[in-house]
């Protein structure tokens, strides 16, 4: 483990986003291609001396607004259909979102973290997406700002631990990882996404490529493992 002195100004956290059965082949309802394959990289990162290691879970009620089956035909095709969600506290604020297959329902196997993940090294599990009225890709909050509808305890957990840098892995790069990383930056954390430890729903330009472009614009760093940002700052040397 690194010495306490090493973390005087640098207090990194590892954030594992939605590494759940329903997002992984072969049986996931919303499986991301090769999603399960990142487990070895994630577990290797879990062995490094992060001051905090947090996993998040999509944890939806059966009547969640993002499920295509909860909308009337013909505009209820998973992956193809979109809907406009109004802020329940301010109908003038809206967000357009894609509709998905039923996934990560509370109490189902699909909502469980995958068994390949070394959960024994995780300090906290944060659940998100419980409010049926709003989509919540970000592990911090829903997309509405005027006002926000739901905030998880994630920001408080990180700030209580005096975290300075957040390293993000998990699923999926172009949705929950993307919006979690952007909100992490907004919360004041230096934010990295480890590219070998995430996969995208759309690995092409419109998914991974567009996400990478937005990261560059807002200041989220896409890094490699191994790579200098990890090898230099998260050395296991004492």
């Amino acid at each position: 483990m690194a010495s306490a002195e090493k973390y005087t100004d640098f207090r990194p956290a590892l954030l594992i986003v939605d590494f759940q059965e329903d997002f992984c082949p072969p049986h996931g309802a919303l499986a991301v291609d090769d999603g399960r394959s990142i487990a070895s990289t994630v577990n290797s990162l879990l062995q490094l001396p992060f001051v905090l290691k947090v996993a998040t879970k999509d944890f939806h009620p059966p009547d969640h607004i993002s499920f295509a089956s909860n909308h009337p035909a013909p505009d209820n095709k998973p992956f193809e259909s979109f809907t406009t969600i109004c802020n329940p506290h301010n109908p003038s604020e809206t967000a357009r979102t894609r509709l998905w297959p039923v996934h990560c329902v509370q109490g189902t196997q699909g909502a469980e973290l995958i068994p390949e993940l070394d959960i024994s090294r995780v300090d906290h599990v944060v659940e998100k997406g419980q409010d049926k009225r709003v989509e919540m890709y970000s592990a911090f909050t829903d997309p509405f700002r005027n006002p926000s509808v739901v905030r998880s305890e994630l920001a408080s957990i990180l700030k209580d631990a005096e975290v300075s840098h957040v390293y993000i892995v998990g699923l999926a790069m172009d949705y929950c990882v993307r919006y979690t990383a952007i909100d992490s930056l907004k919360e004041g954390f230096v934010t990295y996404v480890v590219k070998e430890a995430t996969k995208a729903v759309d690995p092409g330009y419109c998914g991974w490529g567009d996400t990478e472009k937005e990261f560059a614009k807002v200041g989220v760093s896409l890094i490699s493992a191994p790579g200098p940002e990890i090898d230099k700052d998260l050395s296991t040397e004492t």
Side-chain angles (χ1 to χ4, degrees), residues 123-159:
D123 302 303
H124 296 277
V125 176
V126 173
E127 296 168 349
K128 65 184 183 69
Q130 298 102 317
D131 191 316
K132 69 179 183 179
R133 303 170 297 172
V134 293
E135 181 60 277
M136 192 171 172
Y137 293 138
S138 169
F140 289 93
T141 186
D142 65 90
F144 296 119
R145 295 295 182 266
N146 189 31
S148 176
V149 179
V150 181
R151 286 185 62 85
S152 76
E153 70 266 37
L154 178 57
S156 294
I157 289 170
L158 296 173
K159 290 176 181 179

Side-chain angles (χ1 to χ4, degrees), residues 111-219:
E112 296 301 315
L113 297 168
I114 68 166
E116 292 90 340
L117 178 66
D118 186 0
I119 193 67
S120 69
R121 295 181 180 271
V122 172
D123 302 303
H124 296 277
V125 176
V126 173
E127 296 168 349
K128 65 184 183 69
Q130 298 102 317
D131 191 316
K132 69 179 183 179
R133 303 170 297 172
V134 293
E135 181 60 277
M136 192 171 172
Y137 293 138
S138 169
F140 289 93
T141 186
D142 65 90
F144 296 119
R145 295 295 182 266
N146 189 31
S148 176
V149 179
V150 181
R151 286 185 62 85
S152 76
E153 70 266 37
L154 178 57
S156 294
I157 289 170
L158 296 173
K159 290 176 181 179
D160 287 349
E162 299 182 347
V163 164
S164 60
H165 294 60
V166 175
Y167 292 72
I168 300 176
V169 302
L171 302 171
M173 167 67 160
D174 44 344
Y175 286 94
C176 294
V177 167
R178 177 179 188 164
Y179 293 102
T180 297
I182 292 168
D183 279 352
S184 172
L185 197 68
K186 290 177 180 177
E187 291 287 345
F189 305 110
V190 178
T191 303
Y192 302 103
V193 172
V194 183
K195 63 183 180 181
E196 291 84 4
T198 185
K199 297 289 183 180
V201 173
D202 177 0
Y205 178 79
C206 292
W208 184 288
D210 189 59
T211 302
E212 190 170 346
K213 183 178 178 180
E214 185 171 15
F215 283 172
K217 180 179 179 180
V218 302

Side-chain angles (χ1 to χ4, degrees), residues 49-146:
F50 291 95
V51 298
L52 195 67
K53 301 162 187 177
V54 181
T56 73
K57 292 173 63 175
D58 242 7
F59 206 59
H60 297 311
D63 55 351
H64 195 259
I65 198 167
S66 72
F67 297 165
S69 59
N70 290 328
H71 295 263
D75 299 321
N76 64 345
K77 298 181 177 64
F79 302 103
E80 298 178 20
S81 298
F82 289 78
T83 191
T84 298
I85 302 173
C86 294
N87 185 333
H89 305 311
N90 176 13
S92 67
E93 187 181 19
T94 62
R96 187 164 170 79
T97 190
R98 179 170 295 199
L99 297 181
W100 303 107
V102 174
H103 63 278
C104 298
V105 173
Q106 299 167 13
T108 67
Q109 182 63 28
E112 296 301 315
L113 297 168
I114 68 166
E116 292 90 340
L117 178 66
D118 186 0
I119 193 67
S120 69
R121 295 181 180 271
V122 172
D123 302 303
H124 296 277
V125 176
V126 173
E127 296 168 349
K128 65 184 183 69
Q130 298 102 317
D131 191 316
K132 69 179 183 179
R133 303 170 297 172
V134 293
E135 181 60 277
M136 192 171 172
Y137 293 138
S138 169
F140 289 93
T141 186
D142 65 90
F144 296 119
R145 295 295 182 266
N146 189 31

